[in-house]
Amino acid sequence: MNTINVAVLGATGTVGQKFITLLEGHPYFKVAEVVASPRSAGKRYDEATNWKQDNFIPTDVANLVVKSTDDALESKILFSGMDASVAGEIEEKYAAAGHIIISNARNHRMNPVVPLAIPEINHDHLNAIKTQPWKGGIITNSNCSTMFLAMVLAPLHKAFGIDFLHVTTMQAISGAGYPGVASMDILGNVVPFIGGEEEKMEIEAQKILGSFDGEKIISADFKVSAQCNRVPVFDGHTETLSIKFKKSATPEEVKEVLRNFRGFAQEKNLPSAPAQPIIVFEEENRPQPARDVWKGNGMATCVGRIRKCPLNDVKMVIMGHNTVRGAAGAAILNAEAIVEMGLV
Amino acid sequence: MNTINVAVLGATGTVGQKFITLLEGHPYFKVAEVVASPRSAGKRYDEATNWKQDNFIPTDVANLVVKSTDDALESKILFSGMDASVAGEIEEKYAAAGHIIISNARNHRMNPVVPLAIPEINHDHLNAIKTQPWKGGIITNSNCSTMFLAMVLAPLHKAFGIDFLHVTTMQAISGAGYPGVASMDILGNVVPFIGGEEEKMEIEAQKILGSFDGEKIISADFKVSAQCNRVPVFDGHTETLSIKFKKSATPEEVKEVLRNFRGFAQEKNLPSAPAQPIIVFEEENRPQPARDVWKGNGMATCVGRIRKCPLNDVKMVIMGHNTVRGAAGAAILNAEAIVEMGLV
Amino acid sequence: MNTINVAVLGATGTVGQKFITLLEGHPYFKVAEVVASPRSAGKRYDEATNWKQDNFIPTDVANLVVKSTDDALESKILFSGMDASVAGEIEEKYAAAGHIIISNARNHRMNPVVPLAIPEINHDHLNAIKTQPWKGGIITNSNCSTMFLAMVLAPLHKAFGIDFLHVTTMQAISGAGYPGVASMDILGNVVPFIGGEEEKMEIEAQKILGSFDGEKIISADFKVSAQCNRVPVFDGHTETLSIKFKKSATPEEVKEVLRNFRGFAQEKNLPSAPAQPIIVFEEENRPQPARDVWKGNGMATCVGRIRKCPLNDVKMVIMGHNTVRGAAGAAILNAEAIVEMGLV
Amino acid sequence: MNTINVAVLGATGTVGQKFITLLEGHPYFKVAEVVASPRSAGKRYDEATNWKQDNFIPTDVANLVVKSTDDALESKILFSGMDASVAGEIEEKYAAAGHIIISNARNHRMNPVVPLAIPEINHDHLNAIKTQPWKGGIITNSNCSTMFLAMVLAPLHKAFGIDFLHVTTMQAISGAGYPGVASMDILGNVVPFIGGEEEKMEIEAQKILGSFDGEKIISADFKVSAQCNRVPVFDGHTETLSIKFKKSATPEEVKEVLRNFRGFAQEKNLPSAPAQPIIVFEEENRPQPARDVWKGNGMATCVGRIRKCPLNDVKMVIMGHNTVRGAAGAAILNAEAIVEMGLV
């Protein structure tokens, strides 16, 4: 396969930088265009960007001249790390012009013809881009906190049926972008509120686990109650769950289902897919973000403390890398899936 | 009233130090004896102690010679900050000898003739010391995480009846004592496990909200599912709750009940009692441990984000000072209550 | 003495909030006017302000209507917590109009007719306001890092003469204001750079320890080499020093001089003056910001590890509260001094 | 070359775990024996060890049975991560028995016939093992803080001659091992003391930069004044330097010397050697531990802010990975060097 040129929208921001970092040396894709607000346009990428990643800027990207979101683009596939305040309109404009937008923004997630896709779970939803009103298409991935939740719920829903669940999150600061959370607000502190997060967590998983009827995606029928907190962790969202199944299940049955879970991404061996999408820990105090966030190159969902809940079927702790599996890496995996499926 | 001489058991440990700090200048009590393991006994207190509090050691206590837990003691009231591994036997020995033990240890908490007391909620349970098998008596306070939970549940149980609840905690490192949690385990991390904590949280609140029938204390009948986490916060346990009442209630009704709650500690104006035991915040991102832990001199329970739960009646966030209201301060308030009630 | 009405400029910012917090219940001063940018003007203070202090907003201040820096003011004394980007011009305007500005901003610090005042060290410099070109006057306090340095150097300079010194700082995040340092930049990190800080530290102490000849202030003659770092500490700047004296001195002599130091602020018992301006620790691992920052109500300078330097006379560690002694508290102490000196 | 079997002494401790992690897949060495205290001996490695690394235990090592330090060993090369309290005697015993000990402990560092070796700087010192009194030999690497200092001083000493220098460190918690620093001591805090560290920093670099006369190693002649602090950083020691050269040099000359520095480790392309041993940053706020600690796979020394010092020639900031380049990685590089030099 020849390498496919791609563009990164919102290339100077935190998610954009993560796209560029994760796409370095990618077997399918090559970053050929970097696109940002008109304010940055015309500058060389390394001059326009306050680079916050641990690696150095890949040399070939550093030397690209930043394009404006007003410009026409050459790449077919556009990775969008744009802020939700502008992403909606610009993504639609490029989709209308024939591009396929792989978006991390929330704007189109709940549109019933837009896949909210996770290639381990619902790769068939990706076919919905053929029914979209644009010449090109838009594909989204979930909110970072929903990602790990959906990943765990998917095989359990299939096996036992989800009835309802409670989730409390302890989310990393990198989830708020840069500059994001002020250090005076979070050092040695917990902030028990993240704007808009609970609302997203209470509806997105149902769409991900829903079905595509050839025309639109219909959400699965279960209820989620979410409570979201920010904690002083750099990368890695931790979540405690209590789940009620439609058909009761023991902790051991749940563990087995999670351990054995594999999806389309693993079957097709997509480049960014973790060999084992869900890692189940037996240690009583794992997973932990500072220890486990890079498991599966940041693409695995870590699960631990699966045990009986006095009120529902099981309690457990889940954790994953919010800016890799929960954002840029999820989008890249979606792009790999549509290549594999011949949708681009 | 003359000042009452008291002893502190486990005086060199973290809770013992907190007792000494909070009792400095107390209107009822004067620390006249400090008691520790035989290893520390015979030394001057300031030499025997690795002092970890922010104030300097009160001069009169610094000069006391540490007594051994093998020694007979002169004080009637003993504050016990001993570790649970030794507290059980030693507390009973002193109770048998006629002392009244105000204990922060978990050992006797679930004994049906031992009050698990919070003077705002169940000061009548304190009368149980008259039915105890010892010449003196033992009074306990709850686990630090249970304290804030029980404080919030008590008025709600009276108003609406608690059916069941989910609680996820984000607990401060000071709750594990010193040296306690290794910095390599918690810096920038979440540890989703605290040994024995969930078990305590799932039974203690029911006893606190239970009734004393003149012979023993009978636990209230509701279920708790707890998930406990350690976070990099110095002082202040934060907890997210989802509560189902027997009689449904709106967030506004819940707020009003909590705001208006006052108990015996407030009626009698006990020295350590906060004027308002429960502070309800309207800000969407409060309470926060680093901001609010000293509200009411560390004796208030802070509550925020009271809102509808998609699954139960209400969700909310609660927070309080784990080593003040949740430990040493709670014990001191219990001692103040028995003085006020003429039980000593 | 009747209470003196004062205004706070930059009242909605971090330093302004600290002024309001520290002036609550002050025996000399009452906050009668709060002043901010035209954007906030006209709103009630509690609505205009993103309050970040641990206390609640004092009720009388909460209800004040914010004035604009374009407005004429009634108070004689104005505490300025304005940002340096605007402070220069506005402070001069008000000084010209007859007000006395007690400024925490850097703009006028090095003006030879403007006192860079610390009432323990150079209260005589305050007389310079009589020689200033304005109808009123401007008085400044030092940069927060310089404060603790100058406090320690002053008695040593008098006793032994400072020849030169090296200082490396580890500065708290609150020194950068709000939102200030992004959490992604400082959590678990050290940032070895603070814009403009080293330049200030290398010249301000000399002016503070200099002399006022009746017309202008002449800086003392010694050299400082400063290296400034930001560390993940909330409040409290820690600094390591290596000092070369003109007349050699032993660590014991240095300790004695520091311990015995008292100044005008102590002699006159000014309300904000710490009883002991410099606290010398003998413990090998003190002072520490998280333990000692509130010593002397945040107004003391803590010193420890005074020992021989293989290259110069002594090495030591100093630490103090950057937003109290190092900013708002220092300004208030200056205001107290001019009241005491009859300069207002 | 055939793979060489090696043993790890102190295999269950923090440094021992790091050896095992870094030796996974090593081209020269294979961990064939794991050795610990008699208490752990006889257990399988993964059962004997409280594993604290981010990776999983390499499977082949996990299944090894732990040997006791009383046992005879088969491997020629022993990596010693033992605690200094026991390392001295045990290392000598094994050296007498013919093993070559590559030790990270401090015990033998200042022995004039024991190399304190850094293959970029003084690989010729390694020949001293031929003059040692043991059948085998002992090779040490420096204290973690000295490592980065020596690395920077070596080329500068050659170019300009070091006269003296001041260094203040801000050291990571991982440098204290596990459990090491209590979280209550360091969260949001600075501890301005690390036992024994300043003493080591003030003498080790001179030995590293000294000369081997065929019989013993003679330290170079310059003076170091060190002030050591612990900060809440996980990995990466940051140090501020002020250096006086014998022959004066400008910041630009210093930069050039550091950038161009290469040593034996690079010439021979040793497996653990970073391609560029010293990375010079031009950004005003780098290096930073959280950003740069993994540069050169944790084996590079990062340098920034090289600028004029008002008192000496230059000031700068240096930073490196304390448990990789500063400990286990340094030892492995030493072992690679002696293989390359035919000394084993």
Side-chain angles (χ1 to χ4, degrees), chain C residues 43-59:
Chain C
K43 296 183 191 162
R44 219 172 57 196
Y45 181 72
D46 58 357
E47 288 169 351
T49 303
N50 183 3
W51 186 254
K52 286 287 161 187
Q53 309 300 308
D54 293 354
N55 62 330
F56 291 112
I57 306 180
T59 317

Side-chain angles (χ1 to χ4, degrees), chain A residues 170-185:
Chain A
M170 293 165 279
Q171 299 184 221
I173 56 172
S174 62
Y178 185 86
V181 185
S183 55
M184 285 179 71
D185 280 336

Side-chain angles (χ1 to χ4, degrees), chain D residues 37-265:
Chain D
S37 68
R39 190 170 44 82
S40 298
K43 297 183 190 164
R44 218 172 58 197
Y45 180 72
D46 58 356
E47 288 169 351
T49 303
N50 184 3
W51 186 255
K52 285 287 160 188
Q53 308 300 308
D54 293 353
N55 62 331
F56 292 112
I57 306 179
T59 316
D60 50 344
V61 177
N63 291 324
L64 291 175
V65 173
V66 177
K67 298 190 175 179
S68 159
T69 47
D70 296 335
D71 294 343
L73 300 174
E74 293 172 18
S75 308
K76 176 77 176 175
I77 294 179
L78 315 184
F79 288 101
S80 167
M82 287 188 291
D83 190 78
S85 61
V86 297
E89 208 172 324
I90 296 171
E91 290 179 358
E92 287 189 37
K93 183 193 75 170
Y94 282 119
H99 299 277
I100 294 182
I101 321 298
I102 310 289
S103 174
N104 186 58
R106 70 160 184 271
N107 308 63
H108 300 286
R109 280 183 198 152
M110 296 309 294
N111 180 333
V113 297
V114 171
L116 186 53
I118 300 178
E120 278 90 346
I121 301 176
N122 62 3
H123 73 284
D124 61 306
H125 293 199
L126 292 168
N127 292 306
I129 62 168
K130 292 182 282 193
T131 72
Q132 292 181 351
W134 306 291
K135 188 179 163 200
I138 298 176
I139 289 167
T140 64
N141 51 269
S142 77
N143 165 274
C144 51
S145 299
T146 303
M147 174 58 66
F148 314 108
L149 183 62
M151 194 66 74
V152 166
L153 293 183
L156 297 177
H157 190 49
K158 200 169 170 185
F160 313 116
I162 305 296
D163 189 354
F164 62 80
L165 65 105
H166 289 269
V167 55
T168 289
T169 68
M170 291 165 280
Q171 300 184 219
I173 56 171
S174 61
Y178 186 86
V181 185
S183 56
M184 286 179 70
D185 280 335
I186 199 64
L187 188 74
N189 202 12
V190 168
V191 178
F193 176 73
I194 300 174
E197 194 83 352
E198 296 175 355
E199 292 78 357
K200 287 180 253 177
M201 286 200 81
E202 293 184 350
I203 56 169
E204 291 188 3
Q206 291 92 323
K207 183 175 176 191
I208 296 166
L209 272 61
S211 56
F212 175 54
D213 67 4
E215 289 194 5
K216 59 184 191 309
I217 298 155
I218 298 153
S219 290
D221 180 30
F222 56 83
K223 277 194 173 167
V224 176
S225 171
Q227 308 201 58
C228 294
N229 304 280
R230 188 77 67 193
V231 294
V233 164
F234 199 93
D235 283 325
H237 288 355
T238 306
E239 312 179 12
T240 63
L241 307 184
S242 169
I243 311 177
K244 178 74 168 54
F245 299 120
K246 287 181 174 150
K247 176 184 154 195
S248 81
T250 67
E252 283 312 314
E253 290 167 333
V254 165
K255 277 184 205 177
E256 192 170 327
V257 166
L258 294 178
R259 273 206 189 96
N260 294 332
F261 176 57
R262 299 292 183 280
F264 176 81

